Amino acid sequence: MKFGRIVKAFAKEAHITLEEALDKAYDSKTFMLMDEGIADMQTMSDIYLTDELLIEYGYKKSPAETLRK
């Protein structure tokens, strides 16, 4: 359920189809970290994980990039 909510939010925020979002999400570093239980990524909020996907694929700037300007 959690991963489905994240993919749906990712698709909406990135303005891509659910199929594209699912493909990207499964190939992402974010999903790998969640799947392997690294850094307790699976316990992070849906919003946080959606933002991680958006940043990973360049749909959103990271907070560090925003501060550098």
Side-chain angles (χ1 to χ4, degrees), residues 35-64:
D35 190 47
E36 294 182 9
I38 297 172
D40 290 329
M41 288 291 280
Q42 70 278 8
T43 65
M44 301 296 181
S45 73
D46 291 3
I47 294 169
Y48 176 86
L49 293 169
T50 300
D51 280 350
E52 285 296 305
L53 287 171
L54 292 167
I55 291 166
E56 185 172 342
Y57 284 101
Y59 293 105
K60 182 177 183 177
K61 290 184 180 181
S62 72

Side-chain angles (χ1 to χ4, degrees), residues 61 64-69:
K61 290 184 180 181
E65 288 177 298
T66 304
L67 292 174
R68 284 187 221 142
K69 290 187 175 187

